[in-house]
Amino acid sequence: MKKRRLLAAAGAPLALFSATLLASEKLYNFAFKRVDYVPETSADKQKYADAYWSYVDWLHRQPLQTWHLNVNDDENRLVATYVPAKTSSDRTVIISHGYKGDGETMANYAYMFNQMGYNVLLPDDRGHGQSAGQYISFGWQDRRDYLGWIKSVIKQNGSRTTIVLFGVSMGGATVEMMSGEELPDQVKAIIADCGYTSIEEELAYLLKRQFHLPKYPFVPIVSFINRHRMGYFLSDVSSVEQLRHNRLPIFFIHGEKDVYVPSWMLKKNYQAAGGPKAMWQVPNATHAESFWIGPADYQKHVAAFLDQYLSK
């Protein structure tokens, strides 16, 4: 009887530990594993569906080019769509898409920059769209992939070209993480819309908000899984740390009512950033809604920022 009690007492923590590992594995696959479709947008943005599809239709009518990186490497092959400006232009924007999106989902921003006279490059990040990759890196591997896209733009448009980096949500965090890299002189400015501070803080925040789960032990276990699968811990994936090394003009945009990437992350990113910087917190906008709530106003703010730093 005593032996059975001891076994039962020992078995309970083991069962809890096993259940925690299983839950963490499921969480990792849910959050990090690629999906080969674009999930439906949130309910609060369904009202913009017609406008969104009109931008996608516009994109498909353009004289598009398909670009590749690592074309002979099946595990690292990357794909992007290039939209030349209406008239010859020495300005190009590289647009980084959001979580589980792809380049096409940024058609509205492509249209905006096209109207402003820019060439537009729309990459599909690792684990998204037509690009290879089993897992989503939340900007960390992407920041280096984008160095390849920058080189491609310079090769296409010449050494005198001017490049702007722009991203929304995960894409905002991606360009924030790029800010800490050694970027070519052709890169003149960065615009980050609703990017998170770090994937560790974002995951912990969403675990609590959406699933009512604590950071510990789940985030450390997910981090360990990611180290095994992708080669780095979640604590490595930090916009804040990269922004400390930034020297380029950077414009932060964030919805005032964003509860997916909360506004305290905007303030933390802004405070960390080196270089010239500006911040626009958009009234009444939820996550990634700042453009949709007023496209003309959004374009006006973006253009005003860029006009300060790009030569006429």
Side-chain angles (χ1 to χ4, degrees):
M1 179 68 73
K2 189 174 182 180
K3 185 176 181 180
R4 284 201 297 270
R5 288 175 182 170
L6 287 171
L7 288 172
L14 183 60
L16 179 59
F17 179 69
S18 298
T20 302
L21 285 180
L22 181 60
S24 299
E25 175 71 22
K26 287 184 176 180
L27 174 62
Y28 182 82
N29 287 331
F30 172 77
F32 289 78
K33 199 167 185 179
R34 78 172 293 149
V35 293
D36 290 312
Y37 63 91
V38 176
E40 193 173 71
T41 190
S42 57
D44 65 310
K45 296 187 190 65
Q46 291 291 340
K47 58 182 175 286
Y48 304 119
D50 289 344
Y52 168 79
W53 287 112
S54 71
Y55 287 119
V56 172
D57 289 342
W58 167 85
L59 180 64
H60 290 168
R61 293 195 303 271
Q62 303 313 299
L64 305 178
Q65 301 173 19
T66 301
W67 290 13
H68 296 90
L69 290 178
N70 314 320
V71 67
N72 295 318
D73 182 352
D74 289 344
E75 293 185 0
N76 294 289
R77 188 183 67 255
L78 302 173
V79 180
T81 299
Y82 181 75
V83 189
K86 290 178 287 187
T87 58
S88 181
S89 176
D90 63 358
R91 294 185 178 185
T92 301
V93 61
I94 302 176
I95 298 179
S96 182
H97 64 74
Y99 177 61
K100 293 185 178 178
D102 56 25
E104 183 183 272
T105 63
M106 307 301 279
N108 54 313
Y109 302 103
Y111 175 83
M112 178 185 75
F113 278 103
N114 180 267
Q115 295 299 109
M116 293 166 62
Y118 285 73
N119 308 300
V120 179
L121 187 66
L122 300 166
D124 288 355
D125 290 353
R126 285 177 182 268
H128 295 82
Q130 297 180 67
S131 290
Q134 290 182 285
Y135 298 101
I136 297 168
S137 81
F138 288 90
W140 194 238
Q141 287 186 317
D142 307 303
R143 84 194 195 283
R144 290 185 174 161
D145 293 333
Y146 275 66
L147 295 177
W149 292 126
I150 290 170
K151 290 178 182 177
S152 296
V153 169
I154 295 170
K155 183 178 180 180
Q156 170 86 3
N157 295 332
S159 61
R160 299 182 67 181
T161 193
T162 293
I163 298 173
V164 173
L165 305 177
F166 175 92
V168 179
S169 191
M170 185 184 79
T174 299
V175 298
E176 288 166 354
M177 291 178 201
M178 289 179 69
S179 73
E181 300 301 307
E182 188 172 337
L183 299 172
D185 293 340
Q186 288 84 356
V187 181
K188 303 298 185 184
I190 299 171
I191 302 174
D193 187 334
C194 60
Y196 40 77
T197 51
S198 71
I199 189 54
E200 192 172 53
E201 287 187 327
E202 177 67 8
L203 183 59
Y205 169 79
L206 292 177
L207 269 178
K208 183 177 181 180
R209 177 176 177 80
Q210 296 186 352
F211 302 106
H212 309 291
L213 293 173
K215 177 179 179 178
Y216 299 101
F218 296 103
V219 173
I221 296 173
V222 168
S223 181
F224 181 80
I225 294 170
N226 196 71
R227 175 65 177 82
H228 178 70
R229 303 260 173 91
M230 301 283 282
Y232 52 87
F233 292 108
L234 297 189
S235 57
D236 296 329
V237 186
S238 173
S239 299
V240 167
E241 291 305 315
Q242 291 289 100
L243 285 164
R244 296 190 199 283
H245 303 287
N246 177 60
R247 294 295 176 266
L248 291 173
I250 184 165
F251 185 28
F252 296 93
I253 302 171
H254 213 102
E256 190 178 55
K257 294 186 176 180
D258 193 337
V259 295
Y260 189 77
V261 177
S263 59
W264 62 261
M265 290 192 177
L266 161 69
K267 296 178 178 69
K268 191 171 179 179
N269 282 334
Y270 181 83
Q271 289 167 0
K277 56 188 175 181
M279 178 174 65
W280 178 35
Q281 196 162 7
V282 182
N284 300 314
T286 60
H287 184 66
E289 192 186 19
S290 296
F291 173 91
W292 297 105
I293 214 165
D297 198 35
Y298 192 97
Q299 180 173 328
K300 182 178 74 174
H301 277 81
V302 167
F305 173 78
L306 292 175
D307 285 347
Q308 296 178 69
Y309 300 105
L310 273 57
S311 58
K312 301 294 185 182

